[in-house]
Amino acid sequence: QVQVVESGGGLVKPGGSLRLSCAASGLTFDLYHVGWYRQGPGKQRDLVALISNRGNANYADSVKGRFTISRENGKNTVHLQMNSLKPEDTSVYYCRAKGLMMGELYWGQGTQVRVSS
């Protein structure tokens, strides 16, 4: 059974940092692209950052230069380092794994990030 579990969310002041982690089990991790998405209240879920199975990263314009996505295939884990956080970064952050061959999708349950003074 495939499981995707996010962790690391919380409350932080503007300008602060958080590191989110996404741990996957039940799949061959290095055959999956992994993305971080976020969804604010009443808003659609948007892509924040994506890392390919080979480690190539792409970012939404709104987070470029502030967020860094990385992966540890040996630990089946992807991280999202978030620096210089802004109130508009407040959202529930979701991790999604997408299969390289068949395109199957697995979502985590989300972790809340709140940026407030």
Side-chain angles (χ1 to χ4, degrees), residues 13-114:
K13 293 182 179 180
S17 298
L18 281 176
R19 189 191 194 207
L20 305 183
S21 295
C22 170
S25 60
L27 49 75
T28 305
F29 192 66
D30 58 1
L31 294 181
Y32 284 77
H33 307 309
V34 179
W36 282 98
Y37 294 74
R38 64 187 181 188
Q39 186 171 20
K43 296 183 179 180
Q44 66 180 21
R45 191 172 296 186
D46 293 325
L47 177 67
V48 175
L50 180 68
I51 189 164
S52 73
N53 68 313
R54 295 185 177 185
N56 297 314
N58 287 284
Y59 300 91
D61 287 343
S62 59
V63 305
K64 281 181 181 177
R66 301 189 297 123
F67 291 10
T68 302
I69 190 170
S70 61
R71 66 189 295 159
E72 297 181 80
N73 284 346
K75 295 183 178 180
N76 283 17
T77 302
V78 168
H79 304 287
L80 185 68
Q81 178 66 42
M82 305 187 296
N83 299 328
S84 302
L85 283 161
K86 305 174 181 179
E88 51 264 43
D89 294 317
T90 295
S91 282
V92 178
Y93 283 71
Y94 297 90
C95 179
R96 189 192 81 173
K98 180 178 180 180
L100 182 66
M101 306 298 288
M102 302 297 291
E104 68 276 23
L105 301 177
Y106 299 102
W107 288 92
Q109 81 290 347
T111 185
Q112 175 73 54
V113 171
R114 186 180 177 196

